Amino acid sequence: MARAPIDPAAKLECVSYAPFRDGQNPLQPGLVISPEQMTQDLAQLAKVTDCVRTYSVGNGLDRVPELAEKAGLKVMLGIWIGTNRIDNRAQMETAIALAKKYPGVISAVIVGNEVLLRGEMTAADLTANIRYVKSKVGTIQVTYADVWEFWLKNRDVYDAVDFVTIHILPYWEDFPIRARHAANHVDVIRKRMAVAFPNKEILIGETGWPSAGRMREGALPSRANQARVVSEILQLARQEKFRVNLIEAYDQPWKRMWEGTVGGHWGLFDAAGGRDLKYPAGEPITNFPRAKIYAGAGMVFSALVFGVALLTLRRRPWSPHLSSWVTVAICATAGGALLGVAYDKLIVESLGIGGWTVGILLFGAAVLSPLVVANTVMYGRSLPTFMELVGPREYRTGSRMQTILGIVLLITTVLATQTALGFVFDPRYRDFQFAALTMAVVPFVLLTALNRPAKGTRPITESVFAGALALSAVYIGFNEGPANWQSLWTCGLYLLLALTLSRARVAQIQE
């Protein structure tokens, strides 16, 4: 980019700060973040911003004003309120005491964050809490923060605050906004809110873009898109002279439990390792920082697929048709091109024992499928049925490679169906595994097209899976919309796998 979005020479107005890392979770009972950990963070953030916004004074965050003063930072102090009135009062009293002790550090107090969105408090109760805090903190300004629509639905809150703090997250809109239109969307909403709430400043309390996760219609999370959106919003803020707080300073992996992959990747800094800035000044921005390694690994993998085909050919007394080599070439090319993408998605998107188990199994199937199919094509065999793998003894195959291929097909089918049904019944936070599925499914499709299965009865198991995949693909395609290429790609793979399974046949055994 011509100008780095995060540049120490032009510091940010403010950025949301949550200190949790290395498995820490604000919902852990008794968790208190050490001052040393927050001191490291604030020293790093002081190089790129003049202010941090917090959301709570619990979990040790009551030390932030003290530590921010030493780092030369201002603080927009957040009070977390919800359904528990006792906890609410404790949060408010702590924040009031901090505001009195650090009036030169705390620039504003934010009473509640999206409590109306979550439905945890009425507007009347919220207004009462805001007025109570405001009566205790002297000249420090007091506000409330929520998604912009909820300000329009609860206009009474406007009278209680000193300025209006709105959240505009183009990715999460009911009708998601593409990255290239995100800055303009923020400006349009800001101006609309200024008309609805005149005579008070409109602060954009949260805006930004995720660097990883699933697409929502045309909204694609990526490092490059995050850099673009942040850069364009900041440029717009400078031109229009309005204040903006970016969400957020550091990636927060704990949010993935509630918001999927995308929830943990809103930070300007990575969560793991050295907590590095995702796009430092003067360096090219890429969605795949390890692209050269992935490319090298992909080339080796492609060569390996051809190697398996050549080794198999040495054991066969006949020369395969050109179509067999074309099949091997397509398997090698698709596998080599997508190996790095599939691995990257495995590392970024896997969460918990279940997530890692599914991810590793699918990645393993993706790697094995092109290799085993290359061998099967050269032998002139067809795709085995599940009956040959787990059916009665007289139906089972005696070939070791056919057994391996059958296992890979079964794993791919089960996981593809599991993910497809997930997108049907609970799609919001699920990732599209298009890379690994392509590596696994394409070889099966080519093998079935090249070496037709034996004539016989259509097995019920394959038919059920094929029907489930086909129906799911149609529903998902309509539900996700035509702008979501990740969805369209994945649905295409579901349909190809369904077609492959529908062509399975079991030869009858003569008694």
Side-chain angles (χ1 to χ4, degrees), residues 305-326:
V305 175
F306 276 105
V308 169
L310 289 170
L311 287 174
T312 304
L313 187 60
R314 293 180 60 183
R315 301 180 182 179
R316 301 296 294 170
W318 57 282
S319 297
H321 297 295
L322 177 61
S323 57
S324 298
W325 283 113
V326 171

Side-chain angles (χ1 to χ4, degrees), residues 184-261:
N184 181 66
H185 175 76
V186 170
D187 193 40
V188 168
I189 297 300
R190 181 186 66 85
K191 290 176 179 176
R192 177 181 172 184
M193 297 296 290
V195 173
F197 300 106
N199 304 320
K200 289 184 181 180
E201 179 192 9
I202 305 296
L203 167 70
I204 300 179
E206 281 187 3
T207 192
W209 195 265
S211 62
R214 57 109 76 208
M215 284 187 75
R216 297 188 68 237
E217 296 187 14
L220 174 64
S222 72
R223 285 180 177 245
N225 278 347
Q226 185 186 55
R228 175 180 183 169
V229 171
V230 168
S231 178
E232 292 179 353
I233 290 176
L234 293 177
Q235 181 63 27
L236 186 66
R238 285 188 289 267
Q239 293 174 353
E240 300 289 332
K241 295 181 172 54
F242 62 86
R243 289 197 298 157
V244 59
N245 173 78
L246 294 177
I247 181 170
E248 55 193 326
Y250 298 99
D251 282 346
Q252 294 293 300
W254 64 272
K255 291 183 179 180
R256 295 177 59 188
M257 293 184 287
W258 291 273
E259 300 176 12
T261 299

Side-chain angles (χ1 to χ4, degrees), residues 337-503:
L338 293 173
L339 180 68
V341 181
Y343 176 78
D344 195 80
K345 289 176 70 64
L346 168 67
I347 298 301
V348 172
E349 296 175 354
S350 297
L351 179 68
I353 296 176
W356 276 102
T357 300
V358 171
I360 291 172
L361 285 174
L362 185 56
F363 183 76
V367 171
L368 287 174
S369 178
L371 297 172
V372 184
V373 167
N375 171 273
T376 305
V377 164
M378 289 302 162
Y379 266 105
R381 293 169 175 164
S382 60
L383 196 65
T385 64
F386 298 149
M387 184 76 76
E388 295 176 65
L389 186 67
V390 295
R393 186 178 301 275
E394 59 269 21
Y395 283 93
R396 295 185 188 179
T397 178
S399 168
R400 179 180 302 174
M401 291 305 296
Q402 286 291 91
T403 299
I404 295 174
L405 181 57
I407 293 173
V408 174
L409 175 61
L410 180 60
I411 290 174
T412 302
T413 301
V414 171
L415 295 183
T417 306
Q418 182 251 336
T419 58
L421 294 176
F423 284 120
V424 170
F425 294 105
D426 185 25
R428 186 173 175 84
Y429 302 122
R430 294 182 183 274
D431 300 305
F432 294 98
Q433 300 295 340
F434 58 88
L437 278 174
T438 301
M439 292 176 64
V441 171
V442 167
F444 299 145
V445 176
L446 295 172
L447 178 59
T448 303
L450 184 64
N451 297 336
R452 298 181 66 86
K455 294 182 179 180
T457 304
R458 178 180 285 115
I460 185 64
T461 305
E462 278 87 343
S463 297
V464 170
F465 277 120
L469 286 167
L471 292 174
S472 296
V474 173
Y475 174 83
I476 295 165
F478 280 105
N479 189 51
E480 296 289 341
N484 188 336
W485 62 260
Q486 289 185 347
S487 168
L488 295 178
W489 186 339
T490 306
C491 288
L493 293 169
Y494 290 151
L495 290 174
L496 287 174
L497 183 56
L499 176 62
T500 300
L501 294 171
S502 69
R503 300 185 66 182

Side-chain angles (χ1 to χ4, degrees), residues 257-329:
M257 293 184 287
W258 291 273
E259 300 176 12
T261 299
V262 73
H265 292 89
W266 287 80
L268 306 177
F269 292 82
D270 285 317
R275 295 169 80 76
D276 298 322
L277 187 64
K278 291 179 181 177
Y279 23 85
E283 295 186 15
I285 299 167
T286 172
N287 293 333
F288 297 97
R290 295 179 290 273
K292 292 182 179 179
I293 297 175
Y294 292 161
M299 293 170 68
V300 171
F301 182 77
S302 294
L304 186 60
V305 175
F306 276 105
V308 169
L310 289 170
L311 287 174
T312 304
L313 187 60
R314 293 180 60 183
R315 301 180 182 179
R316 301 296 294 170
W318 57 282
S319 297
H321 297 295
L322 177 61
S323 57
S324 298
W325 283 113
V326 171
T327 297
V328 172

